[in-house]
Amino acid sequence: MNIVCEIQEAIIALSSEERKRFCPHFFKTGKGEYGEGDLFLGTAVPDQRKIAGEYWSRISFPELQKLLSSEYHECRNTALLMLILKFEKSKSAQEKKDIAHFYLENRKYINNWDLVDVSCYKILGRYVYENNCSEILTPLAESENLWENRIAVVSTMYHVRKGEFGLMKRTVLKNLGHPHDLMHKANGWLLREMGKKDEKALTDFLNLYAKEMPRTTLRYAIERLDETMRMMYLSN
């Protein structure tokens, strides 16, 4: 049995019918919904992490690509978890570059919010930060594809956690008027993370742009502010 089949069998072995029934509703797979047509095996993320931990060092990029292109959500997520481990464990600048480009080249398979959020800032965001190449995110931020937009915004989490907010603010502003609620939430989440590091940086941003924000973005952004400040922004 080749390694891709072995990993798929391991994922199936840890699946449950209850979770398999739950996931399509949770990830909005109905007609016209953002996850339309996605398929699930019913394997929990902690179990996927265990599998990724066992196989990441043995799987090649072509094999990872096969797993990442699977019709099953859990196979794609497990592939991303292994890719994260490869990136984090690598001591080679060239290998990190190859992983970042592999991620970009296969982004069409990173097609739900959890797949984006678990992986993009740990691979693409970190690569951009360490190599000062924010231009990589520009086409994603300006794309007409929801998941590419979310990759661009959430990738800046790595910068935010390092105390650098400029790229995040520019990327959020590109998508502030985005039509989809998943982007409203992502934008608000990243702004809230900035506020955790520097509340004044958040309030300065809000003072300029709060009135332009979708309500969901604003509510996410102000979640950790004191009640008086939250009410002030919500009442404007």
Side-chain angles (χ1 to χ4, degrees):
M1 184 184 297
N2 67 49
I3 194 169
V4 175
C5 292
E6 195 174 326
I7 292 168
Q8 290 171 334
E9 289 298 320
I11 293 169
I12 292 168
L14 294 170
S15 65
S16 77
E17 283 299 318
E18 182 180 3
R19 186 171 180 83
K20 186 176 179 179
R21 289 192 298 270
F22 167 79
C23 285
H25 171 74
F26 184 74
F27 288 105
K28 308 296 184 187
T29 64
K31 188 169 179 58
E33 294 183 308
Y34 60 73
E36 181 177 350
D38 205 354
L39 298 176
F40 292 83
L41 294 165
T43 309
V45 173
D47 290 325
Q48 294 171 46
R49 289 190 185 279
K50 290 176 186 175
I51 295 167
E54 181 178 348
Y55 287 97
W56 72 269
S57 63
R58 293 189 276 142
I59 193 168
S60 68
F61 283 112
E63 291 163 338
L64 262 177
Q65 203 278 335
K66 286 182 182 178
L67 197 63
L68 186 55
S69 62
S70 170
E71 62 183 338
Y72 291 106
H73 191 100
E74 294 91 342
C75 291
R76 301 199 302 279
N77 195 56
T78 302
L80 290 169
L81 293 172
M82 287 189 284
L83 197 64
I84 292 166
L85 288 169
K86 281 185 177 291
F87 189 91
E88 291 177 342
K89 302 290 187 181
S90 176
K91 293 179 171 56
S92 163
Q94 183 60 51
E95 186 176 23
K96 287 184 175 181
K97 180 179 181 180
D98 291 344
I99 292 168
H101 282 273
F102 176 90
Y103 188 91
L104 282 170
E105 289 166 2
N106 289 280
R107 64 187 180 274
K108 67 181 179 181
Y109 304 118
I110 307 169
N111 56 356
N112 213 315
W113 60 265
D114 62 317
L115 304 177
V116 171
D117 295 358
V118 77
S119 63
C120 67
Y121 73 92
K122 293 179 179 178
I123 297 174
L124 201 57
R126 180 174 172 180
Y127 180 78
V128 166
Y129 178 85
E130 292 179 347
N131 293 275
N132 193 27
C133 54
S134 61
E135 66 277 3
I136 286 176
L137 299 181
T138 302
L140 303 178
E142 296 175 350
S143 169
E144 295 184 0
N145 181 280
L146 166 64
W147 306 122
E148 293 187 359
N149 300 152
R150 189 161 175 125
I151 287 170
V153 169
V154 179
S155 287
T156 67
M157 177 73 79
Y158 197 87
H159 293 69
V160 171
R161 290 184 175 174
K162 294 291 185 179
E164 295 189 11
F165 310 133
L167 178 60
M168 182 274 289
K169 290 189 285 187
R170 294 193 300 273
T171 310
V172 164
L173 286 172
K174 284 180 183 290
N175 284 278
L176 200 61
H178 198 285
H180 204 289
D181 186 61
L182 283 174
M183 285 304 297
H184 302 171
K185 292 175 179 178
N187 290 333
W189 172 30
L190 269 294
L191 291 170
R192 184 179 68 220
E193 291 297 314
M194 176 172 66
K196 288 181 185 179
K197 301 287 288 187
D198 186 338
E199 187 174 293
K200 186 177 185 302
L202 172 60
T203 56
D204 286 348
F205 187 91
L206 292 172
N207 291 340
L208 289 173
Y209 300 108
K211 292 182 180 179
E212 302 174 29
M213 290 181 186
R215 207 65 167 174
T216 299
T217 300
L218 180 59
R219 287 188 180 277
Y220 269 58
I222 66 175
E223 193 174 75
R224 293 176 64 90
L225 298 179
D226 67 53
E227 185 176 1
T228 301
M229 294 184 75
R230 292 200 309 271
M231 295 309 297
M232 179 190 72
Y233 286 114
L234 289 170
S235 64
N236 287 338

